[in-house]
Amino acid sequence: MAVLPILTAPHHRLKLKAEPVEKIDAAICQLIDDMLETMYAAPGIGLAAPQVNILKRLLVIDLTKENEPHTPFCMINPELIWLSDEKSTYKEGCLSVPRHYADVVRPASIRVRFSDRYNKTNEIVADDRLATVIQHEIDHLDGILFFDHLTDLKRNIIIRKLIKIKKTKPVGVKF
Ligand code: NI
């Protein structure tokens, strides 16, 4: 297992669309384990492969609290197949957008289809915070960050501050 470097915005690789995982092999399972270790080390509650510079449609999530045993799950090639009309608002953060949080409005409930690491196809309905986290992570697979859901003004303030942080203290991987 290994902790992988996390790309931080603004970064052109975070804006790219990820490719489907063709085959769930040992390398993909290793990547899932490395992503989980990276997420726990950060610490974070979700991580998508493009954040560790791998353009594959793969994400990991664990919403358990600090003092509870880990209950991670991964989604390979996730697809949102239903979104509720009802919306909910949560304050979102992102390991690729350090130190910034903002209220984001998204569908309150979703149905998502995905493969697990054993190549089994699953379908779940998620509500509330889990629905938000899944949508946030799937956004990463399409090159979308949470601040892309904000007004131009709010987004530009965050990006300007992120650029300032990068200039004073380089973080993440550079290409
Ligand atoms: Ni994120």
Side-chain angles (χ1 to χ4, degrees):
M1 303 249 284
V3 173
L4 307 168
I6 297 175
L7 300 181
T8 56
H11 195 295
H12 69 282
R13 301 270 301 175
L14 291 171
K15 293 184 171 183
L16 301 176
K17 199 172 161 70
E19 297 291 328
V21 174
E22 301 285 351
K23 191 166 171 269
I24 302 169
D25 54 13
I28 288 293
C29 290
Q30 180 66 54
L31 174 60
I32 291 166
D33 291 338
D34 288 347
M35 283 172 60
L36 283 168
E37 193 177 349
T38 304
M39 181 181 79
Y40 290 132
I45 55 171
L47 187 69
Q51 294 180 272
V52 292
N53 202 18
I54 303 216
L55 285 172
K56 296 273 181 209
R57 302 190 75 81
L58 164 62
L59 58 90
V60 295
I61 290 175
D62 190 339
L63 292 186
T64 43
K65 297 197 183 80
E66 240 175 87
N67 49 358
E68 293 171 348
H70 289 164
T71 50
F73 64 93
C74 72
M75 292 185 166
I76 300 165
N77 299 330
E79 279 175 83
L80 289 168
I81 52 177
W82 173 77
L83 302 168
S84 67
D85 291 332
E86 192 197 332
K87 309 281 188 207
S88 64
T89 305
Y90 280 93
K91 195 169 275 298
E92 295 189 24
C94 180
L95 295 176
S96 294
V97 187
R99 298 185 228 176
H100 290 275
Y101 302 88
D103 282 342
V104 179
V105 183
R106 298 181 186 270
S109 305
I110 60 169
R111 180 180 279 272
V112 58
R113 185 183 296 147
F114 60 96
S115 297
D116 63 19
R117 67 191 296 160
Y118 307 106
N119 206 8
K120 186 170 168 281
T121 304
N122 295 286
E123 229 177 81
I124 61 164
V125 173
D127 308 296
D128 305 321
R129 188 150 165 263
L130 179 59
T132 287
V133 175
I134 292 170
Q135 291 174 85
H136 174 120
E137 300 308 331
I138 290 177
D139 267 358
H140 277 298
L141 308 181
D142 294 316
I144 297 165
L145 297 176
F146 78 83
F147 57 57
D148 293 318
H149 293 278
L150 307 177
T151 61
D152 288 353
L153 180 68
K154 284 185 183 163
R155 180 172 55 250
N156 289 338
I157 290 171
I158 293 176
I159 291 173
R160 234 181 288 132
K161 285 187 182 160
L162 289 169
I163 291 170
K164 214 188 256 177
I165 295 170
K166 277 202 175 186
K167 275 187 187 154
T168 51
K169 185 170 168 267
V171 284
V173 179
K174 287 186 173 173
F175 289 94

